[in-house]
Amino acid sequence: MENVILIGASGFVGSAILNEALSRGHRVMAVVLHPEKISTIHPNLTVVQADATDPDTLAKLAEGKDAVISAYNPGWGNPRQYEETLENYPKIVEGAKRSGVQRLLIVGGAGTLFVKPGVRLVDTGTLPEAWLPGVKSLGEFYLDTLTKEKEIDWIFFSPAGNLGNMRPGVRTGKYRLGKDDMLFDEKGESFISVEDYAVAMIDELEQKNHHYERFTAAY
């Protein structure tokens, strides 16, 4: 079983990843600013109140672990979401590298996926205005920073275009994988439940099929 750090464990995606990891017997240290938001009690779960965006702090906590999984998001209602994403994600990468941990698994965004040749989702004009700070900043971090990273084995896991309608769904354990192109079903929809996204993330943790690259999943 893997011994991992999970950043953002109290969020929509992070909590699904937490539940999936624990259900498979992995040991998880959830590093959060507000531990009261995590109601899960499990013998394999340790909750630590700390700032994972501080490289020194993360380096110490992740030392000896097998991987860091990051579902970091400064908050969709945060007026500085764009700025804080671009300020803090490189710090998370730096902390993970300093710790000596082998792998960094990042909950990516769908904005940089291609919906047709040469056209990324973020450039289609179809996304709600309120989403753009988070979508654009995570996309810029991936394209401008993460793709140049060679010192730690990273993955940037982009969900389908619609991730669970931002509410709980169904875990089927089934999904399709892709790379840089958005996946659509026979109805022309790009969707995956947050539970199955978490399944795919923990599958990647266990199987280590991707390295220094982005991939995506959908039904």
Side-chain angles (χ1 to χ4, degrees):
M1 294 297 102
E2 303 284 336
N3 188 357
V4 304
I5 292 280
L6 177 57
I7 301 168
S10 64
F12 175 62
V13 180
S15 59
I17 293 172
L18 174 63
N19 292 336
E20 183 67 26
L22 292 174
S23 74
R24 298 205 210 175
H26 298 296
R27 295 172 60 192
V28 180
M29 177 183 286
V31 182
V32 291
L33 291 175
H34 301 286
E36 69 277 5
K37 292 184 178 180
I38 296 182
S39 57
T40 302
I41 298 175
H42 193 283
N44 282 2
L45 172 62
T46 303
V47 180
V48 175
Q49 183 175 19
D51 182 3
T53 67
D54 177 73
D56 291 336
T57 298
L58 181 57
K60 292 176 183 176
L61 292 173
E63 186 176 356
K65 302 294 192 296
D66 297 308
V68 172
I69 304 176
S70 177
Y72 170 77
N73 187 329
W76 289 102
N78 185 339
R80 294 193 73 252
Q81 183 182 24
Y82 177 86
E83 292 82 2
E84 289 184 16
T85 298
L86 291 175
E87 290 167 5
N88 290 331
Y89 242 125
K91 296 177 182 178
I92 291 173
V93 174
E94 180 63 25
K97 288 195 296 186
R98 287 189 201 174
S99 74
V101 74
Q102 294 299 305
R103 302 194 77 212
L104 173 60
L105 291 75
I106 294 174
V107 173
T112 52
L113 291 171
F114 289 101
V115 295
K116 59 183 179 180
V119 180
R120 299 182 190 272
L121 175 62
V122 71
D123 300 321
T124 61
T126 61
L127 295 176
E129 191 72 24
W131 293 7
L132 292 180
V135 172
K136 287 185 174 180
S137 56
L138 196 56
E140 288 176 22
F141 161 70
Y142 163 66
L143 293 171
D144 299 339
T145 300
L146 197 57
T147 56
K148 300 177 176 65
E149 178 57 52
K150 305 299 182 186
E151 295 180 32
I152 189 169
D153 186 2
W154 59 267
I155 61 100
F156 186 86
F157 181 20
S158 294
N162 190 342
L163 178 58
N165 291 319
M166 295 304 291
R167 58 176 180 262
V170 177
R171 182 191 188 281
T172 70
K174 299 177 181 179
Y175 56 85
R176 292 183 298 140
L177 291 180
K179 290 297 294 295
D180 294 317
D181 296 324
M182 185 172 288
L183 298 175
F184 297 93
D185 62 19
E186 63 277 2
K187 298 179 182 178
E189 298 176 349
S190 183
F191 181 81
I192 192 168
S193 72
V194 70
E195 292 82 2
D196 281 334
Y197 175 89
V199 170
M201 177 67 88
I202 302 304
D203 283 349
E204 175 61 28
L205 172 71
E206 295 174 351
Q207 299 169 14
K208 304 175 177 63
N209 292 320
H210 299 85
H211 306 275
Y212 303 96
E213 62 183 339
R214 180 258 292 284
F215 67 101
T216 186
Y219 294 135

